[in-house]
Amino acid sequence: MTINAGLTALIAKRCHKAPLSPFGLACCCLYAAYGLRLSTFLARRHLDDSYTTKFNSLQMKSDMMGFGSKFAIVTGVSFSQALYALPLAIATSPAATRAPRTLRSVGWAGVGIAAVGLLLETAADEQKLAGKRSDPQAPVMDGLYSYCKHPNYLGEFIFHCGISCMGATGNAMKVAACVFPTFFMAVTLQNSARRLDREADHRYKDIAGFANWASSTPTLFPFVHAISQKASGDPPQPSQAAGFA
């Protein structure tokens, strides 16, 4: 996304013969920050001794995956990443500055939402990395992880919701194309969370306090989870626990 932000800014400036608007610049900066944050974090995690076991497990699963599954994953990710370029292209176009005030407000709201998601994801990833360095065999259940099992995934989802809003000044077809990747990401994150929950349920079942945390902590959306339970009057249902994503 960092390269995407740089190229989009250069192309927009060259094609439109004008400097980026404050809105376009803010969007480009967020894209760049997301890419830099993710790449540096993944590099640090990959080199960390606490991640060696997890990496070897993922590598083995990847080696056992068939060609069709790998092709489907690569195609889906490539298509969604291509669509992620669209909100930024819309945001850096002159039309974005001439759009109705309501639509421009939605775009700026998207900038704020994406920034909140990026901060949440960063804090959650750093907390989990620090926790795994301290004790690689124990789950992380405090801090942000006391509110939901996958706050890093929640931050990722919020970030992509904000990205979708950045393309609000486009036409109906472009807006639909901007929103689609967020739905794709939501399904991907939910499936990944469920898989990690199953793995963690087996891995951490003998850890003290794990069962209580697993049964009382929602997977992704803490406030929605609490509201739905309060409305239905049902007690919390046992759920699975998060692994080291």
Side-chain angles (χ1 to χ4, degrees):
M1 274 193 167
T2 303
I3 296 176
N4 187 0
L7 290 176
T8 301
L10 288 174
I11 292 173
K13 186 174 181 180
R14 187 178 185 87
C15 292
H16 305 315
K17 308 296 183 182
L20 291 176
S21 67
F23 175 61
L25 181 61
C27 293
C28 286
C29 288
L30 265 177
Y31 268 62
Y34 175 89
L36 285 173
R37 201 288 308 184
L38 182 60
S39 59
T40 55
F41 171 76
L42 292 178
R44 287 167 50 224
R45 189 180 68 170
H46 179 72
L47 296 174
D48 199 279
D49 292 339
S50 64
Y51 188 66
T52 302
T53 302
K54 181 67 175 181
F55 175 78
N56 292 336
S57 175
L58 291 174
Q59 186 62 53
M60 183 169 54
K61 290 178 181 179
S62 177
D63 294 339
M64 295 174 61
M65 192 178 296
F67 174 78
S69 298
K70 291 182 179 180
F71 180 79
I73 292 174
V74 171
T75 301
V77 171
S78 299
F79 180 64
S80 63
Q81 288 301 311
L83 287 180
Y84 277 128
L86 182 58
L88 195 58
I90 295 173
T92 55
S93 68
T97 61
R98 300 192 298 264
R101 184 175 181 178
T102 301
L103 295 180
R104 285 186 280 121
S105 297
V106 172
W108 275 111
V111 172
I113 292 170
V116 169
L118 182 58
L119 290 174
L120 174 58
E121 182 180 11
T122 300
D125 279 340
E126 292 300 327
Q127 182 189 340
K128 178 162 278 190
L129 183 59
K132 288 299 178 178
R133 283 173 175 168
S134 175
D135 188 352
Q137 303 306 318
V140 179
M141 301 182 289
D142 58 351
L144 292 172
Y145 291 84
S146 64
Y147 295 98
C148 68
K149 298 172 186 174
H150 305 275
N152 49 346
Y153 284 5
L154 176 59
E156 180 83 5
F157 176 70
I158 293 173
F159 175 82
H160 290 288
C161 287
I163 291 295
S164 296
C165 294
M166 293 178 187
T169 57
N171 58 38
M173 184 174 294
K174 290 181 179 179
V175 169
C178 289
V179 171
F180 173 79
T182 300
F183 284 100
F184 175 82
M185 183 58 66
V187 173
T188 301
L189 293 174
Q190 183 67 24
N191 290 338
S192 181
R194 289 173 178 172
R195 175 179 57 80
L196 290 172
D197 287 349
R198 291 192 297 268
E199 292 177 359
D201 183 57
H202 173 74
R203 182 179 180 184
Y204 302 124
K205 59 184 179 181
D206 297 325
I207 299 293
F210 168 78
N212 180 62
W213 175 79
S215 64
S216 61
T217 309
T219 300
L220 283 176
F221 303 105
F223 301 111
V224 174
H225 179 82
I227 292 173
S228 63
Q229 285 191 343
K230 184 176 181 180
S232 63
D234 295 332
Q237 296 297 316
S239 56
Q240 310 295 330
F244 182 31

